[in-house]
Amino acid sequence: MSPPDRIYTARWIVPITASPIQRGWVRVSGQQVVDVGDGPAPPEATDLGDIALMPQLINAHTHLEFSDCPRPIGRPGMRLADWIGKVYNARSVTTIQQKAQNILLGWRESQDAGVCLIGEIATLPCQYQGDDTLPSLVTFAEVLGLSEQRAAERLAVASDHLQQCSDAGISPHAPYSTPWALIQDCVTRAKSADVPLAMHVAESPEERELLQRGTGPFADALQRMGVWRDELFPWNADQNFVTLIDLLARAPSALLVHGNDLNASEIEKLAGHPNVTVVYCPRTHHFFGHSRHPVDRMLRAGVRVALGTDSRASNPDLSLWGEVQHLLKHRQDLSPHAIIQMATVGGADALRYPRWGRISAGSPAKFGCVATTAGDLEGLFRDFAEQPFVPCDAILDVDWPRYWPRL
């Protein structure tokens, strides 16, 4: 015999795909939302009080293996090419067992932060030993290698991952570490396996200098690491970020990570590919002191944008709500509702979980909440900028009052 439906009402219901509802209600059957209402709640509804009830958050991009970092690697404002060298050195001394411990540490931190789905870059081999209470993962097998031998080895490992893992993706790392032919191979694998693809693109002007001229800090860093190949940089005349976007868009779903240095023509190209999502990592962007992110232009152009934390190697924590609050406080040119959408439906749709990250009929009953006594939207979003996000999907099974001390 199935349990009876449960109905919850609160000061605010935030469906994400519709405007916030004051004194709305949600009907849940089993572990699924079956109805959302904006009128008086049915008399049997449980009143959750002065909160905004929301879906849990989606972290569209992170690297959990760095979750043991007590602080970001390097120093704020350092050049990305120099930082990558430090990260490479840190990664090279980590064992598979240590990596597994770090992954579990970050996985649990994400759960505590109210994240229910993660786009995780997996540097194989690695182990994901958790349980079904932890956030769901889409594990993107990282592929890179400027030498033919290294590229072939990484692609073979990634291909095995796509065959063996039920919720996998593939990730050609970045233009400075992944030759054009290898990117094409990754796109082919994504299409064949019908999985999403993620790639770091346009992280800094120095990356563009490498690809267009074969010079600059990235060229220097690759030469110091002993992996430089003259025939790879600069790119050929027909290879640029516009043609790269067209290439990545051949995948079923493509996540273009960072996009800090995208220009107007590249944003216009993105707008023509609805299966491509830009994943913006605000606090990592801030750590490097990059120029103002063009996310406002992307949103105006109709580009889908999601949020990610990147990793603790460039971020103080894995709180996606921290990314939301950073934008609410520092990017007031952006619509607060658009920011919340980037933290929920944007990532869910990019990771091909189309019912997640929202409260609507058919969506999973995975809830979070923010304490608020706001009487209007302005006050609600002001509270979002100041109050913590608390995961509360367990209200389906336990008495709600036990959560109040956390709010």
Side-chain angles (χ1 to χ4, degrees):
M1 184 175 181
S2 60
D5 290 0
R6 298 170 306 285
I7 304 173
Y8 304 100
T9 184
R11 179 174 286 272
W12 290 93
I13 304 294
V14 186
I16 304 297
T17 50
S19 297
I21 305 168
Q22 194 167 12
R23 297 310 316 178
W25 52 271
V26 179
R27 184 187 300 271
V28 174
S29 180
Q31 301 297 314
Q32 190 174 80
V33 174
V34 295
D35 198 10
V36 181
D38 60 359
E44 66 271 27
T46 298
D47 190 346
L48 304 179
D50 290 333
I51 66 164
L53 189 70
M54 302 172 58
Q56 289 193 8
L57 308 172
I58 314 295
N59 187 348
H61 176 76
T62 192
H63 304 255
L64 293 177
E65 68 179 276
F66 294 106
S67 299
D68 64 327
C69 292
R71 64 189 63 84
I73 294 173
R75 66 184 186 282
M78 72 183 302
R79 295 190 308 192
L80 181 64
D82 296 333
W83 177 84
I84 288 171
K86 289 183 176 293
V87 171
Y88 175 82
N89 291 334
R91 175 183 286 179
S92 64
V93 298
T94 303
T95 67
I96 293 176
Q97 292 74 23
Q98 288 171 329
K99 190 190 297 185
Q101 293 173 357
N102 296 346
I103 287 169
L104 183 58
L105 191 67
W107 206 352
R108 287 173 172 162
E109 181 183 352
S110 300
Q111 179 186 37
D112 291 341
V115 168
C116 63
L117 176 63
I118 298 170
E120 157 72 346
I121 304 300
T123 55
L124 304 172
C126 58
Q127 300 172 348
Y128 292 87
Q129 299 175 332
D131 56 54
D132 58 9
T133 67
L134 291 169
S136 297
L137 296 177
V138 178
T139 52
F140 292 86
E142 186 177 71
V143 179
L144 77 171
L146 297 182
S147 72
E148 293 182 2
Q149 179 180 353
R150 175 68 167 166
E153 184 265 329
R154 288 290 87 199
L155 186 62
V157 170
S159 298
D160 288 343
H161 179 71
L162 297 184
Q163 293 178 354
Q164 297 168 9
C165 182
S166 61
D167 213 349
I170 193 166
S171 178
H173 174 250
Y176 53 80
S177 61
T178 317
W180 193 273
L182 184 55
I183 299 171
Q184 291 175 315
D185 286 339
C186 290
V187 171
T188 298
R189 297 299 194 283
K191 291 174 61 179
S192 176
D194 190 28
V195 299
L197 177 149
M199 185 175 186
H200 304 80
V201 176
E203 290 186 70
S204 72
E206 289 80 13
E207 177 185 315
R208 191 183 294 270
E209 180 183 359
L210 171 72
L211 304 178
Q212 291 182 344
R213 302 176 187 172
T215 60
F218 269 100
D220 296 340
L222 295 175
Q223 290 166 358
R224 287 195 301 270
M225 294 168 66
V227 297
W228 176 265
R229 289 177 60 194
D230 287 333
E231 68 272 25
L232 295 180
F233 306 109
W235 274 356
N236 296 331
D238 60 345
Q239 297 171 344
N240 52 58
F241 284 146
V242 168
T243 54
L244 177 62
I245 291 166
D246 280 335
L247 173 58
L248 299 181
R250 298 176 192 171
S253 175
L255 288 75
L256 192 156
V257 181
H258 297 306
N260 302 318
D261 190 46
L262 291 171
N263 63 30
S265 62
E266 293 151 2
I267 291 172
E268 182 181 1
K269 174 60 68 172
L270 282 167
H273 291 299
N275 65 320
V276 179
T277 301
V278 172
V279 183
Y280 175 26
C281 302
R283 289 187 292 166
T284 288
H285 179 277
H286 178 73
F287 173 76
F288 288 108
H290 293 309
S291 298
R292 190 177 182 84
H293 195 283
V295 61
D296 54 331
R297 288 181 278 149
M298 294 175 186
L299 293 174
R300 287 197 299 270
V303 176
R304 184 166 63 194
V305 182
L307 294 184
T309 60
D310 212 352
S311 75
R312 274 183 164 265
S314 60
N315 202 333
D317 56 53
L318 298 179
S319 168
L320 198 78
W321 192 247
E323 309 298 327
V324 168
Q325 292 188 318
H326 180 89
L327 292 180
L328 289 172
K329 293 174 182 177
H330 299 285
R331 289 299 302 263
Q332 295 182 356
D333 57 316
L334 303 178
S335 156
H337 190 71
I339 294 172
I340 303 303
Q341 288 179 319
M342 288 189 276
T344 50
V345 296
D349 291 347
L351 295 171
R352 305 178 80 191
Y353 277 66
R355 295 186 181 277
W356 291 45
R358 65 206 79 196
I359 300 179
S360 61
S363 65
K366 295 178 178 293
F367 300 127
C369 64
V370 177
T372 181
T373 57
D376 55 28
L377 288 178
E378 182 178 356
L380 176 65
F381 292 129
R382 186 167 55 246
D383 285 341
F384 281 3
E386 300 296 337
Q387 298 296 327
F389 183 92
V390 179
C392 60
D393 54 320
I395 62 174
L396 304 179
D397 305 308
V398 300
D399 291 333
W400 172 248
R402 65 173 284 197
Y403 283 89
W404 280 111
R406 298 179 60 187
L407 292 178

